[in-house]
Amino acid sequence: QVQLVQSGAEVKKPGASVKVSCKVSGYTLTELSMHWVRQAPGKGLEWMGGFDPEDGETIYAQKFQGRVTMTEDTSTDTAYMELSSLRSEDTAVYYCATFQLAVAVSWGQGTLVTVSS
Amino acid sequence: EIVLTQSPGTLSLSPGERATLSCRASQSVSSSYLAWYQQKPGQAPRLLIYGASSRATGIPDRFSGSGSGTDFTLTISRLEPEDFAVYYCQQYGSSPRLTFGGGTKVEIK
């Protein structure tokens, strides 16, 4: 059973960056395909990117290209998502999720990122 | 770019009734890569259906999925109080690699 525990809520100013962590237990990170999905207040789910085992690399949604970086520290089984040049529209709950056969089977609890001046 | 359109936006039903949720894709989607999730307020989504019609582990058999090509359906045969939530479909494909539908809220009538 995979468990994903995310870092706590963040408040950032426009233009700043945020880095959210996702600690894996029950499996090692190298066994998993980790993705990130966000959800603005009262809105739907939006895929940001993740590790694609078919390509063997991390892929990003076009909308976030150049602004998002997803990394992994296999020594601590922790995944990270960093989003830069924050704007108010980036206010959302950010989820890490592990994918198997193209579906999200485990989710973190979510991290609220608030962008406000 | 594949766009998933879910309808209706909101479904008002009573416990015990049947719920039928639609997910329409702008281009054909492989049935192997169509999934449904349930999300309750303040919680992360939960996988219900994968491969268009296979129930995930622990999902009651009142939930069923069907469809192919561009039209997919999630059916809840008899609504239980805990089923009132928002439901999302999701596809995995070539470009963009992964998208979600806009969601259908199933609310108590």
Side-chain angles (χ1 to χ4, degrees):
Chain A
Q1 179 87 1
V2 176
Q3 289 199 319
L4 307 175
V5 178
Q6 299 183 222
S7 49
E10 303 260 14
V11 179
K12 295 292 183 180
K13 293 194 181 304
S17 297
V18 69
K19 192 170 187 177
V20 179
S21 68
C22 175
K23 169 73 174 171
V24 174
S25 61
Y27 279 76
T28 62
L29 198 46
T30 55
E31 299 175 283
L32 304 171
S33 175
M34 186 68 75
H35 290 241
W36 293 84
V37 175
R38 78 175 186 180
Q39 186 171 38
K43 303 297 185 183
L45 302 170
E46 183 173 33
W47 176 72
M48 300 180 70
F51 182 77
D52 189 336
E54 286 189 13
D55 293 340
E57 61 182 10
T58 299
I59 56 174
Y60 301 119
Q62 187 171 5
K63 175 177 179 177
F64 301 101
Q65 289 272 5
R67 215 163 58 94
V68 69
T69 304
M70 296 172 188
T71 56
E72 297 180 352
D73 183 344
T74 55
S75 67
T76 61
D77 288 320
T78 303
Y80 298 92
M81 186 285 299
E82 184 169 21
L83 188 62
S84 62
S85 302
L86 290 169
R87 35 213 189 228
S88 59
E89 310 89 88
D90 294 318
T91 293
V93 174
Y94 289 77
Y95 293 102
C96 59
T98 60
F99 275 66
Q100 289 180 13
L101 298 176
V103 295
V105 294
S106 298
W107 295 73
Q109 83 276 20
T111 296
L112 176 62
V113 174
T114 303
V115 183
S116 173
S117 54
Chain B
E1 176 178 326
I2 295 179
V3 177
L4 299 179
T5 301
Q6 292 188 240
S7 62
T10 302
L11 201 50
S12 298
L13 295 168
S14 300
E17 289 194 294
R18 182 184 187 91
T20 303
L21 288 65
S22 172
C23 175
R24 180 161 291 178
S26 58
Q27 302 173 40
S28 185
V29 171
S30 168
S31 296
S32 299
Y33 296 137
L34 194 287
W36 291 91
Y37 300 85
Q38 176 194 68
Q39 187 180 35
K40 297 179 181 179
Q43 296 184 17
R46 176 176 71 145
L47 177 65
L48 296 176
I49 301 287
Y50 64 94
S53 61
S54 297
R55 276 186 299 277
T57 303
I59 301 303
D61 60 6
R62 64 180 181 273
F63 290 92
S64 64
S66 63
S68 64
T70 59
D71 289 295
F72 297 88
T73 301
L74 174 70
T75 301
I76 311 171
S77 59
R78 288 179 57 85
L79 283 164
E80 297 288 340
E82 62 267 27
D83 299 337
F84 292 92
V86 180
Y87 293 83
Y88 295 94
C89 58
Q90 173 240 305
Q91 71 84 30
Y92 173 91
S94 56
S95 183
R97 188 56 60 93
L98 200 151
T99 52
F100 290 94
T104 290
K105 181 179 182 180
V106 178
E107 66 175 22
I108 299 176
K109 186 174 181 179

